[in-house]
Amino acid sequence: DGGITQSPKYLFRKEGQNVTLSCEQNLNHDAMYWYRQDPGQGLRLIYYSQIVNDFQKGDIAEGYSVSREKKESFPLTVTSAQKNPTAFYLCASTPIGTSGRNEQFFGPGTRLTVL
Amino acid sequence: GQSLEQPSEVTAVEGAIVQINCTYQTSGFYGLSWYQQHDGGAPTFLSYNALDGLEETGRFSSFLSRSDSYGYLLLQELQMKDSASYFCAVRDDTDKLIFGTGTRLQVFP
């Protein structure tokens, strides 16, 4: 089955620790995105990548880092510099060229809680 | 700045019709989309408008007026399972999707 997987579903971290959230897709999509969602809020873009080995900052990139070494994978690291990291993190992908429908495919999300 | 405004909450009863409005102000416009998100779940794509007018997909329809920077999502024959949050989104001139703040729809029996 094609889709996007994110792991883990729930993640707990102590203050001052870095943590990496996994995102893998087997849809052969070129572009991948990371969003942050806070309770009762919309989606805010953290980072995005339209091609392997290239990525751009979104609106709230401070305290986060990403890599795109493979087309299928776009891990997000939440660093200790992120002041308020507790949130729901969503990964999405879309094929370049057919993005005219603005259709992004989302993974199930990772709920990060900082203790 | 870029913004998409939606009502925060809408309530309705089963079988009714509800309209969720979205007004946008973005740098560039390459279509208006709508997404549905159930509590704790991931957003799923519902509809897309690139040109003015109404697009119908089953019980859901979406409308766009580019001159007014306005669109809406129309849900007909509401069912309990339609209780969810609905987000409008615009693709801007940097090819990013900008999402609205979301409208929480509660359907009552």
Side-chain angles (χ1 to χ4, degrees):
Chain A
D1 288 334
I4 302 177
T5 57
Q6 291 185 243
S7 61
K9 188 171 179 63
Y10 298 95
L11 186 58
F12 298 88
R13 158 198 129 172
K14 292 182 180 179
E15 277 193 45
Q17 289 181 337
N18 292 356
V19 64
T20 298
L21 282 58
S22 167
C23 177
E24 303 278 332
Q25 54 99 359
N26 61 4
L27 300 167
N28 200 33
H29 286 173
D30 300 286
M32 297 186 74
Y33 307 81
W34 273 106
Y35 294 94
R36 169 182 172 140
Q37 186 175 36
D38 293 284
Q41 301 296 313
L43 282 69
R44 292 185 291 169
L45 183 64
I46 304 172
Y47 268 98
Y48 64 108
S49 167
Q50 296 185 317
I51 194 170
V52 174
N53 292 322
D54 188 44
F55 48 82
Q56 287 77 41
K57 291 182 179 180
D59 301 317
I60 56 165
E62 185 176 351
Y64 300 97
S65 66
V66 292
S67 63
R68 186 86 186 276
E69 297 176 0
K70 299 186 300 182
K71 188 176 184 178
E72 304 80 28
S73 179
F74 192 40
L76 173 74
T77 297
V78 184
T79 75
S80 56
Q82 169 49 233
K83 296 286 189 282
N84 184 20
T86 295
F88 188 44
Y89 290 87
L90 287 157
C91 178
S93 71
T94 189
I96 296 285
T98 60
S99 61
R101 276 180 12 119
N102 293 354
E103 182 174 4
Q104 290 190 357
F105 297 79
F106 286 83
T110 293
R111 195 166 297 279
L112 172 65
T113 302
V114 174
L115 304 173
Chain B
Q2 306 203 91
S3 67
L4 283 82
E5 299 290 333
Q6 304 178 232
S8 59
E9 190 167 354
V10 174
T11 59
V13 295
E14 273 188 299
I17 300 173
V18 71
Q19 178 174 313
I20 298 174
N21 299 321
C22 174
T23 56
Y24 59 87
Q25 182 177 0
T26 57
S27 56
F29 175 82
Y30 296 92
L32 177 71
S33 305
W34 289 90
Y35 286 78
Q36 178 191 61
Q37 184 182 30
H38 287 98
D39 284 347
T44 55
F45 175 85
L46 288 177
S47 68
Y48 169 70
N49 294 70
L51 302 175
D52 293 350
L54 192 68
E55 295 283 342
E56 298 181 60
T57 309
R59 294 187 297 114
F60 294 0
S61 303
S62 56
F63 172 83
L64 174 65
S65 169
R66 288 173 295 171
S67 60
D68 295 322
S69 298
Y70 164 76
Y72 66 72
L73 179 69
L74 191 73
L75 298 86
Q76 302 180 74
E77 301 172 18
L78 280 174
Q79 303 175 8
M80 295 295 290
K81 67 178 181 180
D82 297 328
S83 292
S85 292
Y86 293 84
F87 296 90
C88 58
V90 167
R91 187 158 64 95
D92 70 4
D93 56 8
T94 64
D95 213 30
K96 295 182 297 187
L97 267 191
I98 310 298
F99 284 86
T101 50
T103 299
R104 185 174 181 86
L105 170 63
Q106 293 190 69
V107 180
F108 294 98

